[in-house]
Amino acid sequence: MEAAKKKAAYAAVQHVKDGFIVGLGSGSTAAYAIEALGERAKREHLSVLGIPTSYQAFLLAVKHGIPVTTLEEHPVVDVTIDGADQIDPKLNLIKGMGAALAREKIVASASKQNIIIADEHKKVAALGENGHPVPVEVLPFAIAVVQRRIEAVGGKTVLREGKGKLGPVITDNGNAVIDAVFGVIDDAAELERKLKMIPGVVETGLFIRLANAAYIGTVSGVEKIERKILR
Ligand code: 5RP
């Protein structure tokens, strides 16, 4: 599995060109891409600037010698390379099991190209399959209210607990994460619209029509899936 993730990450990094502003995704697969980008930049003397989507990505950028910048300085990102938790045939995604969904979606929305990297276990026929939750980042003040509202639109909710820390996970933005299981999601865009209308919801892990290509690492190689972005 690690080899598959690494293959996908190394293939995706070939999209980066000299002078690019690069969105740096979060998670274990994105970590390989940051490593690969650092190696490529060094070997080919590329001048690139990274926009980290999390504190994890920031620390990895520093470790691999990628200078970082901000959306204030560079509000248009050339390419973002990020992982995903589920990928459907249209390249709609569930993200956020690493709790970095809000910054990941902001950086993705500012990017000319979004390249997703994953191993083949992330491919699904429909989002929400296998009881996979949709992560929802929520203002702590609103947790109970948002939970009730999500339940009202059919989600079974759990407040995500920290690992290595007592109490709820706190995101890089100081918020909580509610994991909401809806079962197989028939209309992800409509669910996204309903969730985003709930006061207190900061962001959801449904990434609809954002990705334009995915590299899927398999035992035998890397599969590339592309889609035209209409947005
Ligand atoms: C973090 C994310 C990650 O990209 C997603 O969870 C995939 O992570 P991994 O590559 O470790 O499976 O969305 O918020």
Side-chain angles (χ1 to χ4, degrees):
M1 186 121 92
E2 292 309 304
K5 291 182 193 178
K6 204 166 176 172
K7 277 189 256 182
Y10 275 71
V13 159
Q14 299 313 313
H15 282 262
V16 176
K17 297 197 174 103
D18 192 32
F20 264 24
I21 307 299
V22 185
L24 306 175
S26 302
S28 58
T29 319
Y32 287 124
I34 298 174
E35 180 186 332
L37 180 60
E39 284 173 9
R40 238 200 100 193
K42 197 170 168 192
R43 193 175 57 244
E44 298 177 29
H45 307 287
L46 300 181
S47 163
V48 294
L49 292 174
I51 303 210
T53 55
S54 63
Y55 191 53
Q56 178 216 22
F58 166 73
L59 292 177
L60 287 169
V62 172
K63 179 175 171 190
H64 295 293
I66 303 167
V68 294
T69 184
T70 61
L71 287 175
E72 277 73 25
E73 291 159 294
H74 293 99
V76 179
V77 179
D78 293 298
V79 62
T80 290
I81 302 171
D82 203 351
D85 301 301
Q86 285 197 332
I87 305 169
D88 81 3
K90 291 182 174 168
L91 296 191
N92 291 324
L93 316 169
I94 291 180
K95 286 183 50 55
M97 293 315 284
L101 60 150
R103 292 187 191 204
E104 288 174 330
K105 200 185 277 189
I106 292 165
V107 174
S109 74
S111 300
K112 295 183 204 165
Q113 288 184 80
N114 283 294
I115 313 293
I116 298 305
I117 50 177
D119 66 75
E120 57 191 326
H121 300 99
K122 303 293 183 66
K123 276 172 67 175
V124 292
L127 299 180
E129 249 178 29
N130 309 320
H132 198 288
V134 176
V136 182
E137 181 161 343
V138 180
L139 282 179
F141 180 76
I143 291 168
V145 176
V146 171
Q147 260 183 304
R148 285 170 67 92
R149 293 283 301 271
I150 295 176
E151 302 262 348
V153 295
K156 287 198 177 61
T157 65
V158 175
L159 180 63
R160 195 183 296 178
E161 291 287 319
K163 288 202 176 72
K165 172 197 171 289
L166 297 173
V169 160
I170 304 296
T171 69
D172 289 352
N173 314 307
N175 296 317
V177 175
I178 292 171
D179 287 313
V181 175
F182 293 93
V184 169
I185 300 167
D186 294 328
D187 187 344
E190 176 61 8
L191 179 59
E192 162 75 344
R193 198 187 60 78
K194 283 183 183 159
L195 294 174
K196 289 295 288 278
M197 280 174 59
I198 302 173
V201 167
V202 175
E203 196 46 86
T204 87
L206 291 168
F207 283 50
I208 312 299
R209 289 187 287 277
L210 278 172
N212 56 331
Y215 286 91
I216 309 293
T218 68
V219 274
S220 53
V222 179
E223 178 195 3
K224 185 178 182 190
I225 309 169
E226 279 183 285
R227 73 173 282 275
K228 265 205 147 21
I229 292 194
L230 303 168
R231 71 172 157 97

